[in-house]
Amino acid sequence: MIFKRKVYDKLIEWKTLAAGTSAVLLEGARRIGKSTIVEEFAKKEYDDYMILDFARENQDVKNNFVENMNDLDTFFRNLFLLKGKRLKGKNCVIIFDEVQLFPQARQAIKYLVADGRYEYIETGSLISIRKNVKDILIPSEEYRIKMYPMDFEEYLWAINDEVTIPTIRESFEKRKPLGDAIHRRIMKSFRTYMVVGGMPQAVDAYVSGKSYEQIDFVKRNILSLYEEDLAKYDTENREKASVIYRTIPEQLENKNSHFKLSMVDKNARYQNYMDAVSFISEAMIGNECINVTKPEVALELFADRSNFKLYMGDTGLLVTQIMKNRDSTDEDLYKALIIDNLGINQGMIVENIVAQMLRAAGHELYFHEYLYVPEGTTREKKYEIDFMIVKKKKICPIEVKSSNYMSHKSFDYLIQKYQLKCENRFIIYTKDLKYQDGIMYIPIYMTMLL
C-alpha cells in the first residue's frame, strides 16, 4: 500500500522553486519509504521517469558514469541502450536510488543538472558517512530533504482518519482542553501508533488487519536489516556501533536516560566511541540528544557531546527491541501497552516518542543539566531539563512526564538561575491540555505541533 506522506509536498516545493536548477536528495534510514514515495512522485508529476537502483545496477551502467561524463550525448545514448528504455516527453526525471552505494553518480549530478535535459532525484541512507563521500566532490546543485518514519498524522491518514489532527491543532492554538472523552480516544490511537511505530511496512501490516505478533515479526526483520548495516560498518570499528545500538533500551532505563559507556565496556572512553555514536545518528536509526552547558539561543555553541542520550529513530522498533528477549511477542503484551497497563518502564517509551516527534518537526535535540541551591537550603542539587528547543529566538524548555505528575521545580530554578525570559514552557504528559502558572501542559500527541 502507498501511504500519503508529508515529504511529497516538500518534493513539490523543490520541483517548483528549483525549476531544474538543482537535484533533490531524499535521505533517511532504510525502510522508511523513500523509494516508494519518490516513484509515486515521478509517476504523478512527470511525463516519464527512469530508476537507476544502485543496489542492483550492473557494472556497465556504473562504468558509463565514470567514462562518459565529458560527453553527455554518449552518456545518455549508452544509458538508454543499457536500460532498454528511452524517456518520452518534455518533463522527465531520472531517479538515483540508493545513491550512497555509487558515489560517482552523486558527483555526476553537477554536470547532469547543468546539462538540463532531465531532472534528478536521489535517495539514500548513510549519505554523510565518510566512506560514502571519500574522493568525491559533493555537488552544490543538490537540495537535501530529510525523511523520517511516519508521524502520528501520517499514521492517522493511513487508517483513514482526517479529522483528529485538525481538532488537536485547534485545541493547541486556542489553549483549550479537548475534554476527557475525546482525549481518551486520541490517547488510545496514539498509544497504538506508539507501539506499531512509523515504519511503513509495520503500518501496512496493522492496516491490513495483521496480528500484533505478525506486526512484531515485520519490525524484527527491519531491526535485523539495521544490524546487518551496523555489522558492515563494524568491520572497521570492532562492533562498537552494533553494541551501542543494541544497548539503547537498557540505556534509556538509566536515571535521566543518560548514555553510560561503562554499560558497553567498563574501560570505554567517549573518544573511542564517538564515531560509532555519530554513525548511528547519521544513519538516522538513532536520535542523539546532546547536553548544552548553557541555555543560550545558539544551543550548538554550548554543546557538550561527551554527555548525551541516544534514542531509537522509531519508537515502534524500540518496543520490539524491548520485547526481543522473548521468543514471540504476546498479543496481550501489545494490548497492555495500548491500554497503559504494562509493568515495564513506560517513561522510556514516552521520552523516545517525544524525541522522535521533535526531530520530525525539524528540531535538533538538546537537554540541559545544571546545579542550583534552592532557597532555604545550603546544598547544591543537580536538575535537568529533558529537552530544549528554540522558538521565536527564545529558549523553550520541555519536561516529559510519563505519569500525571505535575511538579516543575527544574523549570522554576532554571529561570531563577539564568534570569531567562522564556517564550513558552512545556510539560508533556498523558493528560488533557491545560495552561497554568505560565506553563503549557500538553498531551503527548501534541508534541508534533511544537
Side-chain angles (χ1 to χ4, degrees):
M1 191 182 293
I2 295 170
F3 296 118
K4 182 180 171 187
R5 304 295 297 271
K6 292 178 181 178
V7 80
Y8 195 100
D9 290 336
K10 291 184 181 177
L11 290 169
I12 290 279
E13 184 183 27
W14 157 76
K15 188 176 189 307
T16 306
L17 296 177
T21 60
S22 76
V24 68
L25 169 62
L26 191 61
E27 61 177 318
R30 292 178 72 187
R31 295 292 170 88
I32 58 160
K34 298 186 297 295
S35 304
T36 305
I37 202 70
V38 160
E39 186 167 6
E40 183 70 3
F41 180 75
K43 278 180 188 169
K44 287 184 175 174
E45 308 299 331
Y46 291 90
D47 298 333
D48 202 357
Y49 69 97
M50 176 185 285
I51 297 176
L52 302 181
D53 179 353
F54 291 109
R56 297 178 180 175
E57 294 304 335
N58 63 36
Q59 197 56 48
D60 289 337
V61 169
K62 293 177 181 177
N63 288 343
N64 193 32
F65 279 89
V66 177
E67 293 162 6
N68 294 311
M69 268 304 108
N70 294 328
D71 179 2
L72 290 178
D73 289 337
T74 302
F75 171 80
F76 286 115
R77 184 200 68 200
N78 290 1
L79 181 65
F80 296 152
L81 279 168
L82 290 164
K83 295 297 289 181
K85 175 183 169 72
R86 183 171 289 281
L87 292 172
K88 296 174 188 147
K90 289 182 181 175
N91 183 23
C92 301
V93 65
I94 300 177
I95 297 165
F96 292 177
D97 204 13
E98 303 288 3
V99 75
Q100 79 281 355
L101 298 174
F102 188 57
Q104 287 95 325
R106 191 175 171 203
Q107 180 170 269
I109 285 294
K110 179 179 181 65
Y111 309 104
L112 295 170
V113 166
D115 172 69
R117 273 175 246 203
Y118 307 108
E119 292 190 7
Y120 299 88
I121 300 174
E122 305 164 89
T123 76
S125 50
L126 313 175
I127 283 296
S128 307
I129 303 307
R130 221 168 283 138
K131 69 177 182 182
N132 291 334
V133 293
K134 195 174 164 237
D135 304 327
I136 71 157
L137 190 66
I138 304 297
S140 55
E141 301 77 4
E142 188 180 75
Y143 178 67
R144 290 169 76 161
I145 299 173
K146 286 189 185 297
M147 186 175 176
Y148 297 94
M150 294 171 74
D151 69 12
F152 185 43
E153 185 169 15
E154 290 170 326
Y155 163 80
L156 290 172
W157 290 340
I159 59 170
N160 295 316
D161 178 347
E162 302 256 349
V163 297
T164 296
I165 294 296
T167 306
I168 290 171
R169 195 168 273 120
E170 185 183 5
S171 163
F172 180 80
E173 286 166 1
K174 293 183 176 176
R175 294 182 175 177
K176 191 176 174 188
L178 286 157
D180 279 352
I182 301 295
H183 169 71
R184 275 199 309 272
R185 189 180 72 74
I186 297 174
M187 271 307 294
K188 189 177 179 193
S189 282
F190 186 79
R191 285 186 180 281
T192 307
Y193 161 69
M194 205 160 61
V195 300
V196 169
M199 304 308 280
Q201 281 176 292
V203 175
D204 190 28
Y206 176 74
V207 170
S208 305
K210 298 282 198 297
S211 68
Y212 284 113
E213 198 168 351
Q214 289 170 306
I215 295 165
D216 203 69
F217 180 74
V218 168
K219 291 192 287 175
R220 286 183 195 214
N221 283 340
I222 294 169
L223 284 169
S224 297
L225 188 73
Y226 287 176
E227 281 167 17
E228 282 170 30
D229 285 344
L230 290 165
K232 283 178 204 159
Y233 166 81
D234 277 334
T235 53
E236 304 148 28
N237 287 271
R238 300 187 194 145
E239 295 197 6
K240 287 177 183 171
S242 303
V243 174
I244 284 173
Y245 189 69
R246 277 198 300 273
T247 63
I248 290 177
E250 199 182 341
Q251 298 283 355
L252 290 176
E253 287 199 276
N254 288 338
K255 189 174 184 292
N256 296 332
S257 313
H258 288 214
F259 199 96
K260 292 181 179 168
L261 284 169
S262 58
M263 291 172 70
V264 176
D265 174 356
K266 65 178 187 295
N267 298 313
R269 294 288 174 270
Y270 176 69
Q271 295 91 303
N272 300 332
Y273 279 84
M274 60 191 228
D275 282 351
V277 173
S278 293
F279 178 86
I280 289 165
S281 179
E282 287 184 35
M284 295 174 72
I285 60 175
N287 290 319
E288 196 179 4
C289 184
I290 311 293
N291 179 47
V292 285
T293 54
K294 205 174 174 190
E296 296 284 350
V297 171
L299 290 167
E300 182 57 35
L301 290 178
F302 300 92
D304 169 16
R305 293 186 175 276
S306 64
N307 186 359
F308 67 98
K309 305 176 189 180
L310 193 57
Y311 300 99
M312 295 276 278
D314 178 72
T315 306
L317 294 181
L318 172 65
V319 170
T320 294
Q321 193 83 303
I322 290 168
M323 298 177 179
K324 221 176 169 189
N325 55 0
R326 300 170 61 94
D327 290 333
S328 64
T329 300
D330 224 320
E331 291 285 302
D332 295 339
L333 257 172
Y334 264 90
K335 287 171 184 167
L337 252 178
I338 289 164
I339 61 167
D340 191 14
N341 188 27
L342 188 64
I344 65 168
N345 176 1
Q346 286 199 56
M348 64 194 274
I349 297 173
V350 169
E351 203 173 313
N352 200 91
I353 194 77
V354 169
Q356 182 181 337
M357 292 169 91
L358 288 173
R359 199 74 192 87
H363 299 291
E364 297 293 332
L365 300 182
Y366 299 99
F367 70 97
H368 175 59
E369 61 177 9
Y370 63 96
L371 296 168
Y372 186 74
V373 182
E375 203 174 321
T377 68
T378 54
R379 285 185 61 195
E380 210 172 35
K381 284 185 71 178
K382 190 181 273 189
Y383 294 90
E384 185 174 304
I385 305 296
D386 293 327
F387 295 102
M388 280 196 160
I389 61 172
V390 175
K391 287 175 73 95
K392 298 181 185 173
K393 298 186 178 175
K394 287 187 181 168
I395 292 284
C396 289
I398 297 169
E399 279 282 284
V400 181
K401 313 279 186 191
S402 57
S403 62
N404 304 329
Y405 189 57
M406 290 168 60
S407 164
H408 47 78
K409 281 181 187 171
S410 54
F411 276 177
D412 301 338
Y413 296 152
L414 178 85
I415 285 165
Q416 286 168 34
K417 175 165 180 164
Y418 294 106
Q419 302 299 299
L420 275 184
K421 286 186 171 61
C422 293
E423 179 69 24
N424 278 303
R425 291 180 286 163
F426 295 98
I427 286 180
I428 296 171
Y429 70 157
T430 55
K431 300 288 269 185
D432 199 357
L433 179 144
K434 83 172 180 180
Y435 186 75
Q436 185 179 302
D437 304 328
I439 294 173
M440 187 98 137
Y441 294 82
I442 61 169
I444 187 171
Y445 49 77
M446 287 188 184
T447 306
M448 61 187 287
L449 301 174
L450 296 182

